[in-house]
Structure formats: structure tokens, C-alpha cells
């Protein structure tokens, strides 16, 4: 697998020259300054490519922009509201420009309103480092008593609602504000100025959108853009819902292996593929990472390798969890790496041109000097270096076994 690293552009606190020292082979990046629904121009893409290739103040590096993450799907497309046809056309134009610049893999997601959701971006761990955390009780306290979402009490049992009431009573004004900002953070810096009223407006736009309807909107979108991606030689790959269960009454359509199978079968062309994020899918106790690769591996175009650990409390199919170290937690990362390497071998045997799957270590813990640097939540230098080193060791062991 190609060892890549997410880089947020010129404002990232980690430099490309540092990635080169860490042995990173490629960059995963996006043009976050361009709003969803607008076109990514060739000039904007080429400018980011040049910035990555220059590497640093002293010398260029051999690192290039390998994966777009993410070319965002607008809310208009998800809702099929007034501007959605224009946004789909713009998406296709952006794909054309990405292909013209030589990038082959494009990751996206179809989560409504919010991207990933956490209640604490840096919770202290016993070893002194920090990790991102989703505390279901804190989330319910926000949902029920800060946001005061209509119908929220139907999503939790009565005892849990009462515990959430007690929890919110313990929070001061500053803690309540921090909880709200953490929940709406999504992609770092994307939505962190939303007020409660703005959140309510966004949620209200989905009041008539069921999971089945949202899934059909995804299939409609892919029916338009995946054939264009196929023509361009691109690989589209959908990231799973994070976490893989409904929040704030919003529908989820990419939370399980069955969800992926349905969408892959509905738009059954090679360009329509999967971002395997073990951490997101692995929050569900039903997730079988090795089996997922064995059954759907031919459509995996990109892998996020990280581990999450479920913790109490659990309620109504939802659970608390945190970002564990890469080889710890509830995910059989070693088994998944083995399965992905076997999938690459199968592709080489078949003569496929995508026999090297890009992967990246994801959502590292803040360790050592990370604790004194203002990095993007979940994307520190040392924590991800540890994860990449561990994953590289696992890959090397399996590759040596194959050679022998």
C-alpha cells in the first residue's frame, strides 16, 4: 500500500518537509477554501500541487498530491434542492480538472449537515496524551437540553434522558459552549461558528428526508458523476458515516457493509468505490473488517487505517468511543492490513492498474510535543507518526512472509 498523509494546505502546522523525514510517500489534501458546489479550477489544483512538490524552504521532496480528500458534496446535492443540478455539473467539471492535473483518487462523503462528530477533541488519557472522544451522554445532553431538538427524547430511553439532564446541569457556560463547538466542528474549522439557531435551520431541511430517500439521492448523484469519473480514469471512493449511527435525527446511509453493497450494486462500475475507514465502521460491534475486504475489496480505492474503542454508556444502538492507538482498540488492524495486501496481490495477478491502494494513518492521539503545538484535532505529527510506523511494520512483516 502507498503510505500517504493528510495535509490541510498552507495553514497546516506540519510541513511537507517533515512528512518526507517521516517516510511519507504521498499527500492527501483538499481545497478547503472553495465552498461545496463550486468548481475547483485547474489553476487552484495546480497551485496546491506545486506547493506540495516544493516541499519546504530548503529543498523539494519526491512527495506529490495522490488523493483528493475531500471534493465535498453540497447539501443541495444531498437534498436535491434548487441548485443541485448546477452543483452536479460543477462536480463533474471539478473531476475533469482533477484528472487533467494527474490525480487519480477522489474521496468524498454523503453525511448530511455535519462531517465527523465528537464531543471532546482532546480528552486526557492515562498515559498523558490526548485523544478525540465521542461521549454519548454529553452528546445527549447537548441534543436534549442545549439544542432542544424536537423529538430528541425519542432517540434515548427515559433513564438515559434523565442522566443527560443531570449531566447538563453540571456544565458551566464555558463547558456548554465548548461542547457545542466540538460537536459542530466537522472538518477542522469548517462549521465552528454555527449558532444553535443555525444548527436548527440546517436540521430542519432534512425533516422530510428518510434514509431511503437520502440513499436514492446518493445513487442519483453517482449515476451522474461515476460514469464521468470512469471516462476520466478516476476512482471515486465514499467515506463511511462517522459515527455509523444516526445523530440529531439525521439519516445515515453509509454505515454498514450492507449499505456499501447496495450502493456498489446500484451503480456497478469500477469508478464507484469505497474509502475503507476502519475507525468509523469499527464503532459498530457488527463490523467485520477482514470480511469487508474479502467481500468488497475489489471496490476499495483508499484506506483510512485507525482504531476506535467502544466505551460505556451505550443506548438505543449508539455508543461512546474514543480514538485508540492504531494497533489497539476494537479493530483487527493487523488482519485488515493482511487482507488489503492480499487484495493488492490479487489485483496484480489480474493486471489491474490500481494494484497499489493508498492508505493513511488516521486520527492519531496527541503525544509528546504534539501537546504543545496547535495542530488540527485528530491530526498531530507525533501521534500519526507512531501510527504510520506501526502500520509500516505490520505491512513489512506480511510482505516478508510473502517473499519467503
Amino acid at each position: 500500500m502507498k503510505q500517504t498523509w493528510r495535509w490541510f494546505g498552507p495553514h497546516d502546522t506540519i510541513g511537507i518537509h517533515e512528512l518526507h523525514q517521516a517516510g511519507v510517500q504521498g499527500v492527501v489534501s483538499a481545497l478547503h477554501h472553495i465552498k461545496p458546489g463550486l468548481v475547483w479550477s485547474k489553476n487552484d489544483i495546480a497551485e496546491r500541487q506545486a506547493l506540495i512538490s516544493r516541499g519546504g524552504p530548503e529543498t523539494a521532496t519526491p512527495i506529490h498530491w495522490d488523493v483528493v480528500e475531500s471534493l465535498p458534496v453540497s447539501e443541495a446535492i444531498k437534498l436535491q434542492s434548487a441548485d443541485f443540478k448546477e452543483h452536479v455539473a460543477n462536480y463533474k467539471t471539478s473531476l475533469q480538472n482533477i484528472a487533467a492535473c494527474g490525480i487519480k483518487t477522489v474521496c468524498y462523503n454523503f453525511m448530511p449537515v455535519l462531517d465527523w462528530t465528537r464531543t471532546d477533541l482532546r480528552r486526557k488519557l492515562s498515559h498523558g496524551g490526548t485523544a478525540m472522544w465521542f461521549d454519548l451522554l454529553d452528546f445527549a445532553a447537548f441534543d436534549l437540553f442545549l439544542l432542544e431538538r424536537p423529538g430528541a427524547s425519542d432517540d434515548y430511553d427515559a433513564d438515559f434522558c434523565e442522566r443527560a439532564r443531570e449531566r447538563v446541569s453540571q456544565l458551566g457556560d464555558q463547558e456548554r459552549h465548548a461542547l457545542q463547538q466540538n460537536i459542530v466542528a466537522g472538518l477542522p474549522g469548517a462549521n465552528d461558528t454555527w449558532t444553535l439557531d443555525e444548527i436548527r435551520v440546517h436540521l430542519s431541511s432534512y425533516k422530510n428526508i428518510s434514509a431511503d430517500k437520502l440513499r436514492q439521492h446518493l445513487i442519483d448523484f453517482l449515476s451522474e458523476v461515476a460514469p464521468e469519473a470512469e471516462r476520466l480514469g478516476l476512482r471515486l471512493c465514499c467515506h463511511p458515516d462517522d459515527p455509523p449511527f444516526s445523530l440529531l435525527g439525521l439519516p445515515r446511509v453509509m454505515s454498514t457493509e450492507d449499505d456499501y453493497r447496495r450502493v456498489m450494486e446500484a451503480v456497478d462500475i469500477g469508478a464507484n468505490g469505497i474509502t475503507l475507514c476502519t475507525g468509523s465502521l469499527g464503532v459498530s460491534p457488527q463490523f467485520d473488517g477482514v470480511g469487508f475486504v474479502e467481500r468488497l475489496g475489489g471496490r476499495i480505492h483508499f484506506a483510512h487505517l485507525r482504531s476506535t474503542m467502544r466505551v460505556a454508556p451505550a443506548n438505543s444502538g449508539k455508543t461512546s468511543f474514543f480514538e485508540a492507538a492504531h494497533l489497539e482498540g476494537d479493530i483487527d488492524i493487523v488482519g485488515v492490513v493482511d487482507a488489503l495486501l492480499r487484495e493488492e496481490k490479487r489485483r496484480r495477478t489480474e493486471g489491474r492498474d490500481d494494484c497499489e491502494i493508498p492508505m493513511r494513518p488516521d486520527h492519531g492521539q496527541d503525544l509528546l510535543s504534539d501537546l504543545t503545538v496547535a495542530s488540527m484535532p485528530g491530526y498531530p505529527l507525533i501521534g500519526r507518526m507512531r501510527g504510520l510506523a506501526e502500520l509500516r511494520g505490520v505491512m513489512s512483516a506480511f510482505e516478508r512472509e510473502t517473499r519467503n
Side-chain angles (χ1 to χ4, degrees):
M1 286 180 281
K2 189 163 190 177
Q3 300 166 33
T4 66
W5 184 281
R6 191 170 195 178
W7 189 66
F8 290 96
H11 301 296
D12 200 315
T13 56
I14 300 168
I16 295 295
H17 62 289
E18 294 176 282
L19 307 189
H20 186 38
Q21 292 179 32
V24 172
Q25 298 169 333
V27 160
V28 176
S29 194
L31 305 180
H32 296 296
H33 60 285
I34 299 178
K35 292 182 178 180
L38 301 182
V39 171
W40 286 17
S41 72
K42 291 180 186 177
N43 286 341
D44 285 331
I45 298 165
E47 183 178 335
R48 177 60 56 85
Q49 287 179 305
L51 183 63
I52 291 169
S53 296
R54 283 198 300 271
E58 298 180 1
T59 182
T61 74
I63 297 174
H64 301 288
W65 188 1
D66 285 301
V67 179
V68 167
E69 185 186 347
S70 148
L71 180 59
V73 180
S74 70
E75 291 299 298
I77 291 174
K78 295 170 190 172
L79 291 164
Q80 291 194 0
S81 56
D83 296 330
F84 92 93
K85 290 185 178 179
E86 177 186 352
H87 286 197
V88 169
N90 288 347
Y91 203 97
K92 292 163 77 171
T93 301
S94 295
L95 291 177
Q96 293 161 11
N97 293 338
I98 289 167
C101 290
I103 303 171
K104 296 293 186 183
T105 306
V106 178
C107 175
Y108 69 98
N109 73 68
F110 219 75
M111 286 180 268
V113 182
L114 299 175
D115 206 293
W116 53 261
T117 303
R118 302 292 186 270
T119 57
D120 195 332
L121 303 184
R122 289 183 170 89
R123 181 176 289 195
K124 196 74 170 287
L125 301 175
S126 60
H127 58 48
T130 69
M132 293 205 299
W133 199 287
F134 178 85
D135 188 305
L136 183 60
L137 190 62
D138 281 348
F139 186 86
F142 167 82
D143 191 13
L144 290 160
F145 303 112
L146 299 184
L147 185 62
E148 298 179 320
R149 178 175 62 88
S153 59
D154 296 336
D155 290 353
Y156 315 95
D157 63 38
D159 177 67
F160 201 80
C161 289
E162 186 56 38
R163 291 172 61 193
R165 183 188 302 277
E166 293 174 6
R167 174 61 178 148
V168 79
S169 70
Q170 299 166 358
L171 301 178
D173 290 344
Q174 187 173 353
E175 292 170 312
R176 293 181 182 208
H177 179 72
L179 177 60
Q180 175 184 327
Q181 300 305 92
N182 290 343
I183 286 172
V184 302
L187 285 173
N191 305 318
D192 58 5
T193 60
W194 281 359
T195 66
L196 290 174
D197 283 340
E198 287 171 328
I199 298 170
R200 294 182 186 109
V201 169
H202 285 288
L203 294 179
S204 69
S205 64
Y206 280 87
K207 64 182 179 181
N208 296 318
I209 305 293
S210 65
D212 286 342
K213 190 170 186 177
L214 184 63
R215 181 180 295 106
Q216 187 57 53
H217 289 180
L218 170 57
I219 291 169
D220 293 343
F221 166 70
L222 287 170
S223 297
E224 285 286 331
V225 302
E228 180 66 4
E230 184 90 349
R231 183 186 72 81
L232 295 166
L234 295 176
R235 295 179 281 273
L236 294 176
C237 39
C238 189
H239 188 283
D241 303 324
D242 184 8
F245 44 75
S246 175
L247 296 174
L248 302 177
L250 294 167
R252 296 290 217 191
V253 296
M254 294 301 268
S255 294
T256 67
E257 181 178 330
D258 185 60
D259 287 336
Y260 273 100
R261 181 180 295 105
R262 293 172 68 177
V263 173
M264 294 304 108
E265 290 175 352
V267 185
D268 193 13
I269 58 177
N272 177 31
I274 298 166
T275 296
L276 173 61
C277 181
T278 52
S280 297
L281 291 167
V283 169
S284 169
Q286 286 73 46
F287 176 62
D288 172 11
V290 174
F292 189 105
V293 178
E294 291 174 344
R295 290 182 286 270
L296 296 177
R299 302 289 278 274
I300 295 173
H301 296 326
F302 185 30
H304 291 180
L305 298 180
R306 64 182 173 95
S307 190
T308 44
M309 179 172 286
R310 295 180 292 274
V311 293
N315 187 269
S316 302
K318 303 175 177 66
T319 185
S320 301
F321 63 91
F322 71 96
E323 304 284 353
H326 283 72
L327 299 187
E328 299 173 11
D330 295 315
I331 319 299
D332 179 11
I333 291 291
V334 173
V336 169
V337 169
D338 182 26
L340 287 169
L341 292 173
R342 285 187 277 113
E343 170 61 24
E344 286 186 326
K345 182 178 180 181
R346 185 186 67 81
R347 294 182 187 189
R348 285 193 293 270
T349 301
E350 294 179 356
R352 285 176 52 165
D353 63 359
D354 62 343
C355 58
E356 186 178 48
I357 299 170
M359 57 73 71
R360 67 174 178 86
D362 198 10
H363 290 191
Q365 298 178 353
D366 288 308
L367 306 173
L368 305 173
S369 59
D370 293 334
L371 298 169
T372 62
V373 176
S375 61
M376 298 290 188
Y379 293 96
L381 176 60
I382 304 302
R384 282 189 291 166
M385 278 182 60
R386 172 186 170 178
L388 180 58
E390 291 174 340
L391 294 167
R392 183 182 292 139
V394 174
M395 289 189 289
S396 296
F398 282 121
E399 288 165 355
R400 174 173 293 184
E401 183 180 88
T402 300
R403 287 196 301 270
N404 294 337

